[in-house]
Amino acid sequence: MDNLETLSFVIFQDLSEDAVWGYASDSVKDLLGWSPEELLGTTFYNIVHPDEVDAARNLHYEHIQDDKAATLTYLRLLHKGEDKYALCAFVSVSTEFIVGAISLAVDDPGNARAAMARGGVFVLTPEAEHLSFRNWNRRVQLSNNIFTGSPNSYTIPIEDLHTSDRVCLLLDRFNSAANVLHCTNDVIIKADMITFKNLFQSIPSETDQASLGNAIHVVKNWRTHFDGKADGIFAVCRFNMEVSKEPVTLKQVEGILAATSDAVILVLKPA
């Protein structure tokens, strides 16, 4: 097993009030003790610390309501059979999922992680106060000073909220090619056109390929502490993508990337 401080996993939550697990990558077992099969189809809040469930529910609602991307959250999740850990989640909203990368919460020298979380930094765990939490030089208050009420008290029911058109691609992090392991929908490109293929083959410009390749390299190799890689820091990209072959059609897209121990997350939307 790798050093726990360098481990991270991919999570997909659906957009329902219960934030049901739609996917979890294999490293969730090493980090939290739960297998993906044990979590799929259950509510995320089953493993959230009881003191933080209401805040987590409100934050889930507000992510969908505000169509958030590139946020950073500190909360406690239950490790199977052990004490609760403080964890951090890097999150973006896709069309049908909230997509995240979850890892242990560690010190953030230079506030590097927080500075990249342009969508906001949210602290649900009081014990996390000793870490460096600043977003663009703005001190972030504890969650009980940020969130009020409950999801049921909001004017618009959660099922009536609408998100922008985004697709999440999971890329193979273990080779130099950007092989697509999973594509969540057909919003930008049909999933069967790109799944299990090299993403670079859909990007005609060598300049765009090099730019995306550099962004992937950045998130795969980001260091926020001295003894190892702490995956999850964000990178951004913009490129023209071939979305149809007959006739040949290009679409400009922009995206946010984050890396986990199991895959690189790329959330794309039309530019």
Side-chain angles (χ1 to χ4, degrees):
M1 183 187 301
D2 292 335
N3 182 344
L4 285 180
E5 289 191 359
T6 70
L7 280 178
S8 52
F9 65 90
V10 180
I11 176 176
F12 290 178
Q13 298 174 343
D14 75 6
L15 304 186
S16 71
E17 185 175 342
D18 290 329
V20 173
W21 292 76
Y23 174 78
S25 63
D26 291 343
S27 289
V28 66
K29 176 76 172 177
D30 294 323
L31 199 58
L32 292 178
W34 306 93
S35 69
E37 293 75 22
E38 290 177 293
L39 296 171
L40 296 185
T42 68
T43 173
F44 177 71
Y45 307 118
N46 280 350
I47 66 168
V48 175
H49 191 286
D51 293 345
E52 297 167 17
V53 168
D54 286 345
R57 285 184 178 275
N58 289 329
L59 184 57
H60 178 73
Y61 182 98
E62 293 187 12
H63 268 89
I64 301 169
Q65 176 181 249
D66 298 337
D67 207 18
K68 289 184 178 294
T71 67
L72 172 60
T73 301
Y74 291 85
L75 75 166
R76 286 173 289 178
L77 299 181
L78 178 67
H79 186 286
K80 186 177 181 180
E82 297 185 19
D83 293 333
K84 294 174 176 63
Y85 286 156
L87 289 104
C88 56
F90 302 88
V91 170
S92 292
V93 177
S94 183
T95 298
E96 62 279 274
F97 293 109
I98 289 181
V99 179
I102 295 183
S103 63
L104 284 179
V106 295
D107 286 326
D108 185 14
N111 301 306
R113 286 184 169 185
M116 290 296 292
R118 302 188 185 194
V121 181
F122 305 95
V123 182
L124 278 58
T125 302
E127 288 82 354
E129 288 183 88
H130 70 284
L131 300 178
S132 297
F133 297 131
R134 292 187 181 275
N135 183 22
W136 301 113
N137 298 317
R138 177 176 61 85
R139 184 67 183 174
V140 180
Q141 295 179 324
L142 291 177
S143 59
N144 59 5
N145 293 324
I146 297 174
F147 305 110
T148 58
S150 69
N152 291 328
S153 70
Y154 286 107
T155 304
I156 303 174
I158 195 168
E159 61 269 17
D160 292 338
L161 298 177
H162 300 286
T163 60
S164 60
D165 289 339
R166 293 179 183 152
V167 61
C168 176
L169 306 180
L170 295 184
L171 308 180
D172 187 347
R173 70 160 293 152
F174 299 107
N175 59 46
S176 58
N179 293 325
V180 178
L181 304 175
H182 182 70
C183 175
T184 57
N185 59 50
D186 297 334
V187 166
I188 292 176
I189 185 172
K190 289 189 177 298
D192 59 7
M193 269 188 68
I194 199 169
T195 306
F196 304 124
K197 298 176 182 176
N198 187 343
L199 178 59
F200 292 139
Q201 294 176 351
S202 298
I203 303 174
S205 166
E206 292 185 1
T207 300
D208 284 350
Q209 290 181 25
S211 178
L212 176 59
N214 181 65
I216 293 172
H217 176 78
V218 166
V219 295
K220 285 168 62 174
N221 293 282
W222 186 264
R223 294 175 182 269
T224 59
H225 51 89
F226 68 91
D227 58 353
K229 298 173 184 176
D231 291 335
I233 196 70
F234 294 112
V236 295
C237 60
R238 179 187 287 254
F239 53 86
N240 288 311
M241 183 178 190
E242 185 179 284
V243 297
S244 174
K245 294 187 177 297
E246 295 183 3
V248 173
T249 305
L250 297 180
K251 179 178 291 186
Q252 188 173 70
V253 296
E254 58 186 20
I256 297 173
L257 301 98
T260 73
S261 300
D262 304 314
V264 173
I265 299 169
L266 172 57
V267 178
L268 293 174
K269 68 176 184 177

